[in-house]
Amino acid sequence: MTADTGRTGRPDKRRAIVRAANFVFGRDGYTRATVDAIAREAGVSKKTIYNHFADKEALFLTGALEASRELAEEITALADRHLHKIVDLEAELVEFGVDRTRAVLTRDDHAAIARTIRAEVTHLPREILDAWMESGPLHSRRVVAGHFEALKAKGHLVFDDAEKASAHYTLLTFTPVAERTFFGALPFTEEELAATTSEGVKMFLRLYGA
């Protein structure tokens, strides 16, 4: 299975189908979602969907990968902004953590897909899970790890494994908010986000601060 098969038709129609699919998968879950429901949401026929995608798996994978790649690009830009030139390490780690969490949990297409993947992990084909992890969470972890390596070289951080340090940073700054809000399904305030991230960064720096 490939993410996208047969790119016939107008790009705007294809994009409308992917957006509709992400909405339906997020609302109904992968197992219960149907191509009929996606067609109704997109305002197209089932035939039009099959002109673009081989099956429901290909449609789900395409939507999941496009959402995760777009988000990964945004996170890469945020990391470059906050972690490239450091004046106040703790402040920059907090600001990056806040911006990253907000970006992930307020991006409706990605958040809906992420909730679906977590809820139906045992029903999804393994290649969907692996492809989504590689294009999204693992890619972002490596981006942050690269910045952490540079910070280590400058004497700001101390660790043996940059990717492990990056994973711990995520667990301490992002995961608490994601779990409390069921990955963005419930609202959170900026005050909660800032306080949780600040607490997580302090704990991170106790572990890895120079």
Side-chain angles (χ1 to χ4, degrees), residues 76-202:
T76 298
L78 290 173
D80 290 344
R81 182 194 310 166
H82 291 294
L83 304 179
H84 180 58
K85 293 183 178 179
I86 297 295
V87 176
D88 184 329
L89 177 61
E90 181 174 342
E92 292 293 356
L93 287 173
V94 170
E95 289 182 17
F96 170 63
V98 167
D99 285 350
R100 179 177 68 163
T101 299
R102 187 190 298 115
V104 174
L105 298 186
T106 60
R107 195 182 183 102
D108 291 340
D109 55 350
H110 178 271
I113 289 293
R115 288 194 295 270
T116 300
I117 288 174
R118 283 163 172 77
E120 300 202 37
V121 62
T122 59
H123 301 126
L124 292 169
R126 182 72 198 201
E127 78 175 288
I128 286 181
L129 299 174
D130 290 344
W132 182 78
M133 286 293 297
E134 184 62 33
S135 68
L138 294 180
H139 174 80
S140 295
R141 179 189 297 179
R142 288 191 288 269
V143 167
V144 175
H147 283 283
F148 283 0
E149 286 281 16
L151 292 172
K152 176 184 178 181
K154 295 176 182 178
H156 294 299
L157 297 175
V158 177
F159 51 75
D160 295 323
D161 188 324
E163 286 202 30
K164 184 179 291 185
S166 176
H168 287 165
Y169 173 79
T170 297
L171 285 171
L172 291 168
T173 60
F174 170 78
T175 303
V177 181
E179 289 184 347
R180 189 161 63 245
T181 63
F182 293 88
F183 220 86
L186 300 178
F188 57 88
T189 67
E190 289 295 313
E191 291 76 13
E192 289 176 309
L193 177 56
T196 300
T197 307
S198 180
E199 181 180 354
V201 167
K202 289 182 187 300

